[in-house]
Each structure stands twice: as structure tokens, then as C-alpha cells.
Amino acid sequence: MSNLSRRNVLSLGVALGLVSAASAVPAWASTGGAQAAGTDPWWAWDDEVDRLMAGILDTGQVPAVNAALRPWVNNGDALPTGLPAGLATHLQQANRLPSWADAAKLRRAADFNRRKDTYLFMLYGLGSGIMSTVIPREAKSVYWSAGGANMQDRAAKTFTFGYDLSDLNAFQPTGQFVVTANKTRLVHAAVRHLLPQSAHWRAVADEQIPISNGDILVTFHSLGTYVHRKLLEWRVPMSAADEEAFLHQWQVAIHLLGVRDEFIPKTWAEADAQSTRVLTPLLAPTTEGKELAQDLLGLTAQIDLGVTRGFLNEFVRYVLSDAVGDWLGLPRDYAAAALVRTGWPAYIAFREGLLPIAPAGFYLFDQFIRAIAMLFLNKANSPTTTPITIPSGNRPGA
């Protein structure tokens, strides 16, 4: 469906009172190219890929396409054979870095990820991961899609995206992120075709087509922008070049997901401004999000290596706020809260060489980080990659 026809469909829905797009999301505010282009990310999707995936789904080709894509893992791998001609042509064009990608910045970002991996594990896993459950559109889309029925598998796949992005060779031929991003882009297109067919999703959604460019940018702000802010808040040492490289890595990542370049923030200041306007006001509890959060936290508790559920709940409150913890119904554990709020800053200070001896609780935090890593890595089907597959339906019963 073209952008014009999508606009007409959604405008009709607004006129008939079927969806209130004006109140569902904040007006997009950008100091960059989005305003200059006279367009809005909430009304932009991924037209070519959406058309391709709709055809593949409607003609029952998903199993064959998944089988063809399975051995395609590393960026330098040849494109698999056996793909529909249109999809093969698209991947030949899309499976490359944009012309504006800066190899030096990407190398520096990879080294930054290596040096700060401990904090990134925690913030991506427990910060961004749980935040996704209080982004209403994202929570509803995840819950009613096929992935929502198996959160352990979906968590592993989501982590694969971040793990591949953070790998030292992420954008090199021996890395996997470019392929991972392209597979994820195909999954998004499939979900855009499938979810509108779910009566359950339609009953709770404030949109008729999910995963717009705006939605992807909101997810970016819950990941990259959020993590950058927390690293600053925690006074984790970063040079200006490190910060710029970290942003550039994410700029390339969301380009590979199909976000138009004119919408991508050019600076952290622009990213912060966007996030304040289009992420923070959207955060709210939903029935679907509460269930997803409990599933995710329950998975971690299964292999917590002695870390209590109270400690886990309080760490979520620490990185996201008590308001989010209350929305999700996380019971309080005030002893654990005191340990987290005093111990984590000391843990960071010791790791950064600012304390001469390990603080009390250092081993506990190390075990906690190992538990988060084990959740996503050791439970996956492979120690090196988690297969990303195109869904052929929605949540069972949806």
C-alpha cells in the first residue's frame, strides 16, 4: 500500500472515529530534516518491503523463505538462493551500509561497546527491555503478534539484535549485524501485514498499521537515547568521540531497519529533544504490557544465581523509576532497594578505577549481570546466533 493510500485509510478512520491519531501520539517535533521534508514519521512505513512481504505471506511462501534465509548469517555471506525474485533484488540493494556510514566511527563504537559492555547489558536488558512493556503501541503489537506467545524466544531474538550491534565486528564481513537488521526489517513488514488481521489487536490498537518509522524511532529512543542518558547520569567516563560514535552506530542501525534518513536524529541534542516529546509522554501501563513484563522478569528469576526477585524488581525501579515499577505492580523490597541505590554507583566507581577496593555487594552485582547474559545467550538455540524467522501468523487465538 502506498503512503498516499495509507494516509487516506487512516484519515478516513479518524473521520469515522475509528482511531484518534491526533491524541494517540504526540505531534512529531524535530529540529532536523523531518520538518523540512514536510513529512511525519508516524505516517511513514516501509512500502517496498511491506509489498514484498504481503505477497510472500499471502502466497504461503514463508516456510520456504525462512529455510532459504537460515544459513545467511554473516555480513559477508553471499545472498541465499531460492528467494523470490523481488525479495532477492531488495536484499541485494539493502544488504549494505549507507553511503554516509563512517567506518572509523563504527570501529570506535565497537571498542566503546567492548569497554562498557557491563553497563550496556544491564541497561538494554532491564532498562530498555522492561521499558518496552510500558510503551503502549509496542506492548500491544508484541503481545498480539506471534512473538508475544513465547517471550523467552522473542527475548533471545531481541537480544540478538543488540548483541550483534555491540559486537566488535558488527559491521565487518565477519560480523552479523547488517544481516540481522535486514532480517528484522522483513519481520517488521510481516507483522505490519499480519496484525491488522487480528481482531484482538484491532480492539486495543490506536493505529491501523503498526511499526511506522515513528514507532521505530520511539524504540530507538528507548534504547540508544535512554542508554546514553543513563551513562551520563551514572557518570560513566565517555569522551566526546565515544558519544558521537555510539550515536553513529545507532544512526546506521535504524537506517538499516528502514527508517528514512531525514527522520534520523543528527545529534544527541536532537535525539534528546525527540525523546522528550515522543517517548516520555507515551509511557503508560497496559494489560498486555503488564503481562509481558511479568513474563520477562519471570524468565530472569528462573536463572538468577541466587539474586532475589526483590533485588530484580528494585533494580528495574532504579533504572526506570518507581512510577514504572508501580504501573507494573512490582512488589517493594526496601532492603534490596537500599543495596541497589548505594551499591550500584560504588560498583561503577570500582570498575572505572575510582575506588581502590571492591565495594560490598560487588560479587552480587557480577552474578546479577551474568544472570542477564545467561538468560539471552545460554537459552538460545546457538551460542553464536539466534535464528530470526519471519512469522506466518499472529499470537495463537488472535
Side-chain angles (χ1 to χ4, degrees):
M1 185 182 296
S2 69
N3 265 359
L4 181 59
S5 61
R6 276 187 169 141
R7 287 171 185 261
N8 289 340
V9 167
L10 288 170
S11 296
L12 178 62
V14 173
L16 295 176
L18 299 176
V19 58
S20 178
S23 60
V25 295
W28 197 272
S30 172
T31 56
Q35 284 185 333
T39 54
D40 188 324
W42 297 123
W43 302 89
W45 288 268
D46 200 354
D47 294 337
E48 178 190 355
V49 185
D50 290 352
R51 176 181 55 79
L52 288 169
M53 291 310 305
I56 288 169
L57 284 158
D58 291 344
T59 54
Q61 298 180 77
V62 168
V65 169
N66 278 332
L69 290 175
R70 190 169 295 116
W72 187 46
V73 175
N74 291 334
N75 301 332
D77 290 348
L79 283 177
T81 59
L83 294 173
L87 180 57
T89 299
H90 160 72
L91 291 175
Q92 286 169 355
Q93 298 169 346
N95 193 48
R96 65 187 66 175
L97 297 180
S99 60
W100 45 263
D102 186 316
K105 289 181 180 179
L106 293 177
R107 285 194 298 270
R108 188 177 190 101
D111 183 64
F112 175 76
N113 292 331
R114 176 189 60 79
R115 287 183 279 120
K116 308 301 179 184
D117 59 355
T118 297
Y119 317 128
L120 298 180
F121 258 123
M122 301 302 289
L123 287 172
Y124 285 144
L126 287 180
S128 301
I130 302 302
M131 190 193 300
S132 70
T133 70
V134 293
I135 301 174
R137 282 188 170 184
E138 185 167 347
K140 293 171 184 178
S141 293
V142 168
Y143 185 87
W144 291 111
S145 66
N150 185 346
M151 283 306 292
Q152 181 164 299
D153 180 68
R154 189 184 188 280
K157 291 174 179 176
T158 301
F159 188 80
T160 290
F161 184 91
Y163 183 82
D164 290 349
L165 176 61
S166 300
D167 187 73
L168 275 172
N169 298 314
F171 298 96
Q172 301 299 315
T174 55
Q176 300 179 0
F177 181 74
V178 180
V179 170
T180 294
N182 273 286
K183 288 184 177 181
T184 302
R185 187 175 177 181
L186 298 182
V187 171
H188 286 171
V191 171
R192 277 191 287 269
H193 186 64
L194 291 168
L195 266 185
Q197 301 174 36
S198 164
H200 294 276
W201 179 79
R202 292 198 307 271
V204 298
D206 59 28
E207 56 187 338
Q208 291 189 350
I209 304 166
I211 319 180
S212 68
N213 271 204
D215 292 319
I216 295 173
L217 283 164
V218 166
T219 300
F220 154 66
H221 290 309
S222 75
L223 289 158
T225 307
Y226 163 76
V227 167
H228 178 249
R229 283 179 172 175
K230 295 303 288 188
L231 293 177
L232 291 174
E233 178 186 320
W234 289 347
R235 300 181 181 178
V236 174
M238 296 183 290
S239 68
D242 285 341
E243 293 182 65
E244 186 177 358
F246 186 64
L247 174 61
H248 187 67
Q249 162 200 269
W250 274 105
Q251 290 169 328
V252 173
I254 55 182
H255 166 91
L256 291 172
L257 289 179
V259 175
R260 298 180 190 175
D261 288 352
E262 63 262 31
F263 298 143
I264 298 174
K266 305 299 186 295
T267 64
W268 279 122
E270 186 180 339
D272 285 332
Q274 280 188 5
S275 180
T276 299
R277 293 185 178 99
V278 303
L279 170 63
T280 307
L282 292 180
L283 298 179
T286 61
T287 301
E288 293 85 356
K290 290 177 183 178
E291 186 170 331
L292 294 177
Q294 290 304 317
D295 286 347
L296 289 170
L297 292 170
L299 290 174
T300 306
Q302 293 174 16
I303 52 170
D304 62 11
L305 302 177
V307 175
T308 68
R309 179 61 184 266
F311 184 91
L312 176 63
N313 290 345
E314 290 299 338
F315 200 91
V316 170
R317 286 177 173 272
Y318 176 64
V319 295
L320 288 180
S321 77
D322 282 330
V324 170
D326 291 343
W327 287 346
L328 298 176
L330 303 183
R332 297 305 309 259
D333 182 328
Y334 292 101
L339 175 59
V340 169
R341 294 173 189 276
T342 59
W344 184 250
Y347 177 83
I348 292 175
F350 178 73
R351 285 188 58 90
E352 296 297 333
L354 303 177
L355 284 180
I357 58 174
F362 180 87
Y363 178 73
L364 177 64
F365 283 109
D366 258 9
Q367 290 291 87
F368 191 32
I369 292 164
R370 182 190 296 183
I372 300 300
M374 285 180 65
L375 168 64
F376 297 110
L377 296 180
N378 292 9
K379 291 284 186 176
N381 296 325
S382 162
T384 57
T385 186
T386 300
I388 295 175
T389 54
I390 299 165
S392 57
N394 293 312
R395 186 185 184 97

